[in-house]
Amino acid sequence: MSLASSAAAKKPARTKPAARKKPVTRRRKIPYTPEEIREIFRRFSVQRPEPKGELEHVNPFTLVVAVALSAQATDAGVNKATRALFAVADTPEKMLALGEDKVRDYIKTIGLYRNKARNVIALSQKLVDDYGGEVPRTEAELVTLPGVGRKTANVVMSMAFGVPTLAVDTHVFRIGNRLKIAPGKTPDEVEQAFLKIIPEDYLFHAHHWLILHGRYCCKARKPECERCVIADICKSPEKTTDVPAPLVELPAQIV
């Protein structure tokens, strides 16, 4: 055997590198069946067939402003401040003409009013400069407006333009985690968790159903389980009864 043949014989055969495994994105398991989730939203639909947002507005622009002002404030508090504001400034052009100082005077009862007044003027200016005074319809464009985040963009797309979205505010975030139905550490995680489970035919109104359920029934400090229409399905360790409230349509909202 030649030296070359001997060296070739001793050389170990090359092995192919092991294929890299793609990271597995595991869906967090929830204690509800698809049938139970559908029943939850079916009951919400019976209770409130046409739910509405409770922020007063007259057009997409005033809606953007109202939602931006509602951060760390109640809808009732925002409505009280914006009624007079929107009576004199319901377009970006009129808001710019009003000026930051006067806007601040109108909204001074709302938390963080100085910064919010600055944002209202800045977003009005951007709407005039970049969008011809019209409110854009996509999330990518909406979040470029000062004071507008993902939640505000989702609310505007849903309420102003009829796009089925799910805006996660404090109520929706609390319900997702308290009921263990869409758990998550951040609003984005809760949003994605809800979007994976909400039946498509209930998605358009789901945002308002969840908010109103959290605002008036599954309250932050103490949930009023005796008034809950899904008490028998709910898996929250905090619930105080398994007996659901009568499933009847609630009086129409006054908005």
Side-chain angles (χ1 to χ4, degrees):
M1 183 183 290
S2 67
L3 290 175
S5 301
S6 177
K10 291 179 181 178
K11 191 174 182 180
R14 286 185 179 181
T15 56
K16 291 183 178 180
R20 282 187 181 179
K21 291 184 179 180
K22 292 182 179 180
V24 178
T25 304
R26 294 187 178 180
R27 183 172 170 178
R28 193 174 295 186
K29 194 170 182 180
I30 60 173
Y32 295 85
T33 65
E35 292 74 23
E36 287 176 321
I37 291 168
R38 171 165 284 279
E39 178 62 10
I40 286 171
F41 287 97
R42 185 194 74 82
R43 293 187 194 181
F44 286 160
S45 73
V46 172
Q47 190 179 45
R48 297 183 189 274
E50 292 294 330
K52 298 176 182 178
E54 296 186 324
L55 284 172
E56 296 174 6
H57 61 284
V58 296
N59 56 32
F61 170 68
T62 54
L63 177 61
V64 171
V65 173
V67 181
L69 293 177
S70 71
Q72 299 182 46
T74 65
D75 286 2
V78 172
N79 290 339
K80 187 176 180 180
T82 57
R83 282 178 198 131
L85 174 62
F86 294 157
V88 297
D90 60 357
T91 67
E93 293 83 0
K94 290 178 183 177
M95 197 67 75
L96 289 172
L98 194 60
E100 184 179 331
D101 290 347
K102 288 185 179 178
V103 170
R104 190 168 60 235
D105 289 341
Y106 277 104
I107 67 170
K108 61 186 177 183
T109 56
I110 301 174
L112 307 174
Y113 70 95
R114 294 180 187 279
N115 190 53
K116 289 178 179 179
R118 194 176 305 118
N119 281 338
V120 168
I121 292 299
L123 76 83
S124 298
Q125 190 68 62
K126 188 168 182 64
L127 286 174
V128 170
D129 293 344
D130 296 352
Y131 299 104
E134 298 293 324
V135 175
R137 292 171 174 258
T138 69
E139 180 186 315
E141 293 172 313
L142 284 164
V143 296
T144 67
L145 301 176
V148 174
R150 185 180 176 86
K151 187 202 84 169
T152 298
N154 279 338
V155 172
V156 172
M157 287 191 296
S158 173
M159 292 179 63
F161 305 125
V163 179
T165 61
L166 190 86
V168 176
D169 69 349
T170 56
H171 299 298
V172 179
F173 186 81
R174 179 174 67 256
I175 288 174
N177 283 287
R178 176 185 275 168
L179 273 60
K180 301 183 181 297
I181 191 170
K185 294 180 180 179
T186 66
D188 284 356
E189 286 184 5
V190 170
E191 177 186 343
Q192 292 307 311
F194 265 125
L195 290 175
K196 288 176 182 175
I197 63 169
I198 295 173
E200 187 175 349
D201 48 328
Y202 288 127
L203 180 57
F204 183 71
H205 288 314
H207 160 69
H208 287 128
W209 284 326
L210 292 166
I211 286 178
L212 295 170
H213 186 66
R215 182 174 291 159
Y216 297 115
C217 183
C218 198
K219 298 178 179 179
R221 292 187 180 180
K222 186 180 179 183
E224 297 181 7
C225 300
E226 69 281 358
R227 298 177 55 235
C228 179
V229 295
I230 61 168
D232 55 325
I233 305 174
C234 176
K235 315 294 185 190
S236 172
E238 297 178 46
K239 75 174 183 178
T240 57
T241 181
D242 288 321
V243 180
L247 185 58
V248 295
E249 184 175 337
L250 296 176
Q253 292 171 259
I254 299 175
V255 179

